[in-house]
C-alpha cells in the first residue's frame, strides 16, 4: 500500500457527476500540497488542479479546461482528498490520479507532473455519450 489510494471511478453518462477520493496513508493531508492529474487518450497526462497545505492557505488553483466543472477539497476528518466533477463529457474519460508534494505548493499558476513527489495508482472514469 502506497501513500495515496484513489477510489470512486465509475462509468457515467454525459452530463453526469462523480466524486473521486484519494485516501492518505501515513500522513496528514492538511500538511502538504496535493493535486489531481488525469491521463486521457487524446491529451496524455494533464494537470487538473491543486490544493495547498493548511499551513499556507489551503487554496486551490485549477487548469483552464476545468471551467468551474471540477472542485478539489480536503476531508480532514477522513484524511483524504476529493475531486468533485460535474457536467462530465466523453472527453473527460481517462485515468484520474492524485499526487502530492511533501511541502506547500510552489508559487506557480500550474503544476507539472515533474514537481510531484508521490503518486497514487489512479482510478478509471468513463463517460459515455
Amino acid at each position: 500500500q502506497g501513500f495515496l489510494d484513489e477510489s470512486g471511478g465509475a462509468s457515467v453518462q454525459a452530463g453526469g457527476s462523480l466524486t473521486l477520493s484519494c485516501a492518505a496513508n501515513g500522513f496528514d493531508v492538511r500538511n502538504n500540497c496535493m493535486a489531481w492529474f488525469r491521463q486521457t487518450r487524446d491529451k496524455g497526462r494533464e494537470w487538473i488542479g491543486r490544493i495547498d497545505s493548511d499551513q499556507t492557505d489551503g487554496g486551490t488553483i485549477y487548469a483552464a479546461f476545468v471551467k468551474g466543472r471540477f472542485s478539489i477539497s480536503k476531508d480532514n476528518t477522513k484524511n483524504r482528498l476529493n475531486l468533485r466533477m460535474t457536467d462530465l463529457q466523453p472527453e473527460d474519460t481517462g485515468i484520474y490520479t492524485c499526487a502530492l508534494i511533501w511541502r506547500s505548493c510552489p508559487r506557480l499558476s500550474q503544476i507539472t507532473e515533474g514537481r510531484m513527489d508521490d503518486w497514487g495508482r489512479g482510478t478509471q472514469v468513463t463517460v459515455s455519450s
Side-chain angles (χ1 to χ4, degrees):
Q1 189 179 34
F3 292 111
L4 302 169
D5 187 16
E6 301 92 340
S7 63
S11 296
V12 299
Q13 292 195 326
S17 300
L18 201 59
T19 298
L20 306 181
S21 293
C22 173
N25 303 309
F27 72 97
D28 192 328
V29 294
R30 295 174 296 181
N31 298 333
N32 303 284
C33 175
M34 300 192 71
W36 284 96
F37 289 77
R38 69 181 187 181
Q39 181 131 13
T40 64
R41 182 180 61 183
D42 295 336
K43 296 189 176 181
R45 179 173 280 176
E46 60 182 342
W47 172 70
I48 295 171
R50 64 79 164 156
I51 185 167
D52 212 340
S53 67
D54 287 12
Q55 289 83 352
T56 302
D57 59 8
T60 53
I61 296 177
Y62 299 96
F65 76 84
V66 169
K67 296 180 180 178
R69 297 186 301 132
F70 297 177
S71 65
I72 296 173
S73 62
K74 293 180 181 179
D75 183 341
N76 294 332
T77 60
K78 297 182 178 180
N79 198 32
R80 65 186 184 191
L81 179 73
N82 292 325
L83 175 65
R84 174 66 177 169
M85 303 184 291
T86 63
D87 191 25
L88 285 162
Q89 299 301 316
E91 55 265 34
D92 295 315
T93 294
I95 299 172
Y96 286 68
T97 307
C98 61
L100 72 94
I101 299 174
W102 291 107
R103 59 188 181 281
S104 295
C105 292
R107 300 295 97 194
L108 301 169
S109 60
Q110 64 179 12
I111 298 180
T112 57
E113 58 183 289
R115 289 188 174 270
M116 309 310 294
D117 294 322
D118 280 287
W119 297 80
R121 294 184 178 181
T123 187
Q124 176 71 42
V125 172
T126 302
V127 185
S128 58
S129 57

